[in-house]
């Protein structure tokens, strides 16, 4: 059994036997490989298929990078970036940049945007530190990371020469073809494989996510173990009554059919902010097609109660909430008593911050339910590698089931190509001459 708990009682959805049957069929399709997008189902059994040899190879390469560099720049976008960023943010000290001594390199990210200022500031920030890079791309030609890699590769070669640079750059790419694979072979870069049957947004438990996390000192064995436990707990042989991913998929689809078109993922722990960003890609890219799909949004609470709280409480009733709750804090901080009590907070004296945070969470839940916002609650026992690994797989499995219940192929993303064609035409890329004329005439 997984340590994650799911509470759907306040969603307003009563799961019927018919709903259970549809979800069970969807889960069985994922495991049989007979559903839409069957070429990209490698993630289904991914956690349990990762053996000690693979983990050891990743940790060995991570150790080499740690020995070489104070800063490791991880280059990627979308699924090649968000999963690692989400786990790293969850597992890191919130103020680690102020600590003078670091046991592990600082992992920074590039290639997730085309901002000139971001790129300049990144290069400026690392000028006094030894650096290395992990470049993640199936093809090696995705515009954003390809630009960043070209610049960072040049910086590394300028500093250390081509021979040493080849030991400071690791590529995570296709096993046999593509520009990055060819370059890696020519330059002698160490490489790890992005499995052919695992799409980017499902790839955090491959070297795409595991290598940068291992460099940063995250316990990737525990992360994989947590995901493996959730894989077992959501297997097609597990009845829907015990399958948390299937239950979540059912409830969100029923709410969608009832007119709830937006799902807000929230947490009262700021460390989980990037889990929300990863989740938005996972569900938005998987379900937003064929004119269908719940719009995924995210908030960090209680901060966003002072910005988005008004809309959530009283705005258009087309949304529902899923809250990630954390049962146990890692540290203890209590509110002090104050003799003057000018702020009127002595009634909180002696209470832990986590106690106050939990009461805020419960109070908000009741207020939002009274305001017509259905609520789903996911509880983690604590923020650690095993819990985050379980949460990742929980959301992945639920996404696959949910996409099939919605009637879409959750494993393709044809819509993301539209902007690329326009951008290439506007930049006068060879082969886009006619399209360039047509687009520029519209401007």
């Amino acid at each position: 059994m997984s340590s994650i708990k799911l509470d759907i009682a306040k969603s307003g959805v009563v799961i019927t036997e018919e709903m259970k049957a549809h979800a069970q069929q969807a889960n069985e399709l994922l495991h049989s490989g007979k559903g839409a997008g069957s070429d990209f189902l490698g993630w289904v059994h991914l956690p349990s298929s990762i053996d000690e040899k693979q983990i050891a190879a990743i940790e060995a390469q991570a150790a080499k990078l740690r020995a070489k560099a104070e800063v490791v720049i991880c280059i990627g976008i979308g699924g090649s970036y968000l999963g690692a960023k989400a786990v790293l943010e969850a597992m890191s000290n919130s103020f680690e940049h102020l600590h003078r001594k670091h046991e592990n390199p600082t992992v920074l990210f590039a290639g997730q945007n085309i901002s000139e200022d971001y790129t300049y500031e990144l290069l400026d920030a690392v000028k006094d530190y030894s650096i290395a890079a992990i470049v993640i791309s199936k093809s090696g030609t995705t515009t954003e990371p390809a630009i960043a890699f070209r610049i960072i590769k040049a910086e590394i070669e300028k500093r250390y020469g081509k021979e040493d640079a080849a030991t400071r750059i690791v590529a995570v790419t296709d096993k046999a073809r593509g520009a990055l694979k060819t370059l890696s072979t020519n330059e002698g870069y160490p490489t790890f494989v992005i499995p052919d049957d695992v799409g980017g947004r499902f790839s955090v438990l491959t070297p795409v996510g595991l290598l940068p996390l291992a460099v940063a000192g995250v316990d990737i064995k525990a992360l994989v173990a947590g995901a493996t436990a959730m894989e077992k707990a959501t297997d097609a042989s597990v009845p829907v009554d015990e399958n948390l991913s299937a239950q979540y998929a059912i409830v969100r689809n029923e709410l969608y059919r009832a007119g709830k078109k937006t799902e807000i993922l929230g947490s009262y722990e700021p460390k989980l902010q990037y889990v929300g960003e990863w989740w938005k890609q996972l569900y938005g890219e998987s379900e937003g097609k064929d004119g269908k799909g719940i719009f995924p949004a995210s908030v960090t609470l209680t901060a966003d109660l002072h910005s988005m709280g008004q809309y959530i409480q009283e705005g258009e009733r087309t949304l529902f909430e899923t809250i990630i709750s954390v049962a146990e804090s890692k540290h203890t901080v209590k509110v002090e008593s104050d003799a003057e009590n000018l702020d009127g907070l002595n009634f909180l004296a002696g209470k832990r911050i986590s106690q106050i945070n939990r009461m805020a969470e419960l109070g908000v839940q009741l207020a939002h339910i009274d305001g017509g916002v259905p609520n789903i609650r996911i509880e983690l026992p604590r923020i650690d590698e095993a819990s985050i690994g379980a949460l990742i797989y929980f959301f992945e499995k639920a996404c696959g089931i949910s996409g099939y219940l919605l009637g879409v192929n959750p494993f393709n993303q044809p819509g993301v190509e539209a902007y690329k064609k326009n951008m290439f035409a506007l930049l006068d890329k060879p082969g886009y001459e006619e399209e360039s004329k047509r687009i520029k005439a519209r401007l």
Side-chain angles (χ1 to χ4, degrees):
M1 289 292 292
S2 168
S3 57
I4 289 180
K5 297 178 182 178
L6 178 70
D7 181 1
I8 59 173
K10 294 178 177 63
S11 69
V13 174
V14 177
I15 297 179
T16 65
E17 292 302 318
E18 183 180 11
M19 295 175 196
K20 292 178 188 177
H22 289 156
Q24 186 65 31
Q25 289 170 0
N27 200 11
E28 288 171 358
L29 277 178
L30 291 174
H31 284 265
S32 68
K34 296 179 180 178
S38 58
D39 290 344
F40 290 94
L41 293 174
W43 60 271
V44 173
H45 295 294
L46 179 61
S48 61
S49 70
I50 301 172
D51 59 28
E52 291 184 8
K53 184 178 179 181
Q54 290 171 298
I55 293 288
I58 291 169
E59 290 181 333
Q61 184 58 61
K64 291 178 182 178
L65 291 177
R66 282 200 298 270
K68 284 272 185 180
E70 297 166 283
V71 176
V72 175
I73 303 169
C74 185
I75 304 166
I77 195 168
S80 297
Y81 150 69
L82 281 169
K85 176 72 170 176
V87 178
L88 185 59
E89 289 288 315
M91 300 314 307
S92 296
N93 184 304
S94 301
F95 304 98
E96 190 168 354
H97 59 288
L98 295 177
H99 290 215
R100 292 186 177 181
K101 292 183 179 179
H102 298 276
E103 293 182 7
N104 300 295
T106 297
V107 175
L108 301 179
F109 293 89
Q112 78 275 32
N113 58 54
I114 324 177
S115 168
E116 188 164 9
D117 286 343
Y118 182 95
T119 304
Y120 176 89
E121 290 166 7
L122 173 63
L123 292 171
D124 186 63
V126 302
K127 65 184 179 183
D128 296 325
Y129 298 92
S130 57
I131 61 173
I134 300 169
V135 56
I136 304 167
S137 178
K138 188 80 168 171
S139 65
T141 58
T142 303
T143 306
E144 295 90 340
I147 290 172
F149 180 52
R150 179 178 284 209
I151 292 167
I152 291 164
K153 173 177 175 287
E155 175 67 17
I156 293 175
E157 290 179 347
K158 177 183 174 182
R159 289 198 200 186
Y160 307 108
K162 288 181 71 71
E163 186 175 343
D164 192 14
T167 68
R168 292 174 179 267
I169 297 172
V170 180
V172 184
T173 188
D174 190 88
K175 65 181 178 182
R177 57 187 178 275
L180 183 54
K181 175 60 178 176
T182 300
L183 178 67
S184 300
T185 300
N186 293 342
E187 299 292 334
Y189 299 155
T191 60
F192 289 89
V193 172
I194 301 174
D196 288 336
D197 57 356
V198 178
R201 56 191 178 274
F202 291 87
S203 68
V204 62
L205 296 173
T206 73
V208 168
L210 297 180
L211 179 59
L213 291 172
V215 168
V218 173
D219 185 348
I220 60 173
K221 289 180 181 177
L223 186 76
V224 170
T228 302
M230 184 57 73
E231 176 191 333
K232 183 177 180 181
T234 59
D235 188 76
S237 63
V238 177
V240 170
D241 287 334
E242 301 171 20
N243 190 324
L244 303 187
S245 290
Q247 292 171 28
Y248 175 56
I250 290 170
V251 171
R252 59 194 308 277
N253 271 273
E254 289 304 309
L255 290 171
Y256 177 65
R257 293 188 183 97
K260 304 300 183 183
K261 305 298 185 181
T262 299
E263 180 176 9
I264 299 176
L265 184 74
S267 173
Y268 288 75
E269 289 294 341
K271 284 179 178 289
L272 299 181
Q273 178 181 349
Y274 266 87
V275 170
E277 297 301 312
W278 169 81
W279 170 88
K280 284 192 290 189
Q281 185 200 2
L282 181 66
Y283 281 83
E285 200 168 52
S286 296
E287 294 189 325
K289 57 198 69 166
D290 302 338
K292 301 177 183 179
I294 297 168
F295 183 82
S298 63
V299 292
T300 300
L301 306 169
T302 60
D304 285 339
L305 293 174
H306 297 262
S307 57
M308 293 295 291
Q310 174 62 40
Y311 189 96
I312 297 171
Q313 186 69 42
E314 294 184 337
E316 189 173 7
R317 301 296 78 186
T318 57
L319 54 87
F320 66 97
E321 272 184 316
T322 297
I323 298 297
I324 303 175
S325 181
V326 180
E328 181 184 325
S329 295
K330 186 182 294 185
H331 305 291
T332 299
V333 179
K334 294 183 179 181
V335 176
E336 300 289 334
S337 181
D338 184 84
E340 296 186 23
N341 195 32
L342 293 177
D343 55 15
L345 292 181
N346 271 356
F347 75 99
L348 297 176
K351 286 185 168 61
R352 291 180 62 181
I353 297 293
S354 58
Q355 292 175 278
I356 302 168
N357 200 26
R358 177 56 63 88
M359 292 308 103
E361 177 186 324
L362 295 177
V364 170
Q365 183 185 57
L366 291 173
H368 286 179
I369 291 168
D370 290 343
V373 181
N375 258 255
I376 300 169
R377 185 168 173 271
I378 301 163
E379 184 180 277
L380 307 184
R382 65 196 65 83
I383 297 177
D384 61 12
E385 286 92 343
S387 296
I388 296 299
L391 184 67
I392 286 169
Y393 192 87
F394 163 83
F395 277 135
E396 288 181 347
K397 174 56 79 69
C399 185
I401 296 172
S402 186
Y404 282 167
L405 291 178
L406 183 63
V408 300
N409 176 358
F411 308 113
N412 66 358
Q413 53 281 337
V416 301
E417 298 302 318
Y419 90 89
K420 295 180 183 179
K421 294 176 183 177
N422 292 344
M423 179 178 69
F424 292 151
L426 288 167
L427 289 169
D428 298 314
K429 182 176 180 179
Y432 285 78
E433 291 81 6
E434 292 302 315
E435 190 64 25
S436 178
K437 292 178 184 177
R438 285 195 293 270
I439 288 179
K440 288 179 180 179
R442 294 174 57 187
L443 300 178

